[in-house]
Structure formats: C-alpha cells, structure tokens
C-alpha cells in the first residue's frame, strides 16, 4: 500500500517568513496530492491540491510543487501570518477509480508563526 | 447544504460497550470514508465506501464495522470498545471518480473516550 512521510513534524517561523513542508510517497500510481489545514479542535480543510500531470500550482500565498520522478511534493507558504498557525497534513491517493476512496495521510506538521 | 454531519460530538464508553457513530452527507457524494486521528499522527483510514452497498477495509479496520445502505449515510459501529479506540473520528465524503474532482469534505468529528 501507499506510505506517506511528512517532514518536519514541527516548524516555527517568524511572521513574514516563508514555510516549507515536504512529503514523500511510495506508490508510483498515486496521482492526486492534497494539502489540508487543521486548526485546533476543528476538522481538516483542503487548502490546495495538485495532480500528477502538473508540476506546480499556486493560490495566493500558498503553492505546491510535485516531483513525480523523486516521488515527493512540497507545500510553500510565503509571507506567513499568525493565522497560518495550524497543523498541516499532506495526502496521496489514486484518482478516477475505485481506489479513489483511499487516501493515505502524512503524520502532520505543526506550524507556529510567531508575531 | 449541511455538508457532512456527524453525531455525537463527544462520547465516553466503558470497555466492552458497543456503539454506532453516525455520519450523513447531503451532497449526493458516492465516496465516503471513516478516519481516526490520534495525537501526533495523521488520519488513518478505517473503512471506506464507493457507493451504496459497497464497503472495503482501510488501514486499521479491526474492531469496527460499517454498512452503506443509502448514499447519504455511512455509520461506523464499534463492536466491543477498547481503550485503544480512544481517538477522534472523522467521516469524509467526495464525489465519484467519474466527476473528475477529488476534493474530500470532512465532518466535524466525534471525540471518543473509552475507559
């Protein structure tokens, strides 16, 4: 089955700095890679995702890059703000078939943005 | 739309008791999943369903049963609760692969404590 490793487990940055979180996956058939943000006591919410036919995707201060050959993908947050403080999870899954119901998650990164 | 709803929000059980965690969605999503989240870990897939009448096991299915008699509902049954099942449980849903979109929507979670 799929195995997703996420690093670092904790990350502390100053407000305004950039933050980068990295994930590696094992199943070369995985083709959908979402990132979720989870605030304390809340549900995970999708913040950005990328498919295997794309190398990079941006949405304002957030970007995700994918290296299919190396089987890793990264979340980049620029100009961090205190409200970016949360736990971030990456995930990997196969899309467009019956296995699409199965997502494998990384263990999460606790991001703290210090004012 | 209410999205994905879960009941109860909190539950305390004694070892050996059984109970059902309820999950419902009103978005006509075919795929539904149950995850558990333990401290310091990501979400681990318990069971999932790709449509009414179809269920399959995830990474950690032991001690749990599911059924999917309707598109809307996907209850999770704990047969004989154990302290190791103390966790936060999230239900999630998404449209089918035919829709070529993979966004997964999570419910608010059920915090379960087994004494």
């Amino acid at each position: 089955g799929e195995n997703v490793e996420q690093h670092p487990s904790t990350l502390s940055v100053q407000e305004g700095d950039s933050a980068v979180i990295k994930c590696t996956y094992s199943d070369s058939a995985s083709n959908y890679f979402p990132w979720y943000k989870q605030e304390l006591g809340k549900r995970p919410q999708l913040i950005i995702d990328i498919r295997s036919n794309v190398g990079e995707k941006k949405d304002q201060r957030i970007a995700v890059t994918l290296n299919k050959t190396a089987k890793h993908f990264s979340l980049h947050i620029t100009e961090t703000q205190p409200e970016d403080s949360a736990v971030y999870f990456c995930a990997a899954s196969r899309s467009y078939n019956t296995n699409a119901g199965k997502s494998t998650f990384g263990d999460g990164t606790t991001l703290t943005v210090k004012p | 739309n209410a999205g994905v709803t879960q009941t109860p929000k909190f539950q305390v059980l004694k070892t050996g008791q059984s109970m059902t965690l309820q999950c419902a969605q009103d978005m006509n999503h075919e795929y539904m999943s149950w995850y558990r989240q333990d401290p310091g870990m990501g979400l681990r897939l318990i069971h999932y369903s790709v449509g009414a009448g179809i269920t399959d096991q995830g990474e950690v299915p032991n001690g749990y049963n599911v059924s999917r008699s309707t598109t809307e509902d996907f209850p999770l049954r704990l047969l004989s609760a154990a302290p190791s099942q103390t966790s936060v449980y999230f239900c999630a849903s998404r449209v089918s692969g035919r829709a070529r979109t993979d966004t997964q929507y999570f419910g608010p979670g059920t915090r379960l404590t087994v004494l």
Side-chain angles (χ1 to χ4, degrees), chain A residues 74-89:
Chain A
S74 300
L75 177 70
H76 305 255
I77 306 174
T78 59
E79 301 173 18
T80 54
Q81 301 167 2
E83 51 264 39
D84 293 330
S85 296
V87 180
Y88 291 81
F89 293 97

Side-chain angles (χ1 to χ4, degrees), chain A residues 32 36 38 41-46 49 51 89 94-108, chain B residues 4 31 33 35 37 40-43 45 48 50 57-59 90 94 97 100-104 106-108 111:
Chain A
Y32 176 65
Y36 295 88
Q38 187 179 30
K42 301 290 182 64
R43 73 190 80 185
Q45 293 200 305
L46 180 73
D49 56 12
R51 303 184 191 284
F89 293 97
R94 300 182 186 185
S95 186
Y96 311 146
N97 59 30
T98 57
N99 286 310
K102 301 177 68 172
S103 291
T104 302
F105 283 77
D107 285 344
Chain B
V4 182
Y31 293 177
S33 304
Y35 297 88
Q37 185 176 33
M41 298 183 71
L43 292 95
L45 184 65
Y48 68 102
V50 298
Q57 296 181 349
E59 309 174 55
F90 287 99
R94 51 154 289 194
R100 300 186 73 79
T101 177
D102 299 277
T103 302
Q104 191 162 214
F106 285 86
R111 188 174 295 273

Side-chain angles (χ1 to χ4, degrees), chain B residues 53-71:
Chain B
I54 306 169
T55 64
D56 204 350
Q57 296 181 349
E59 309 174 55
V60 289
N62 293 341
Y64 308 95
N65 274 358
V66 291
S67 60
R68 185 94 181 272
S69 56
T70 67
T71 299

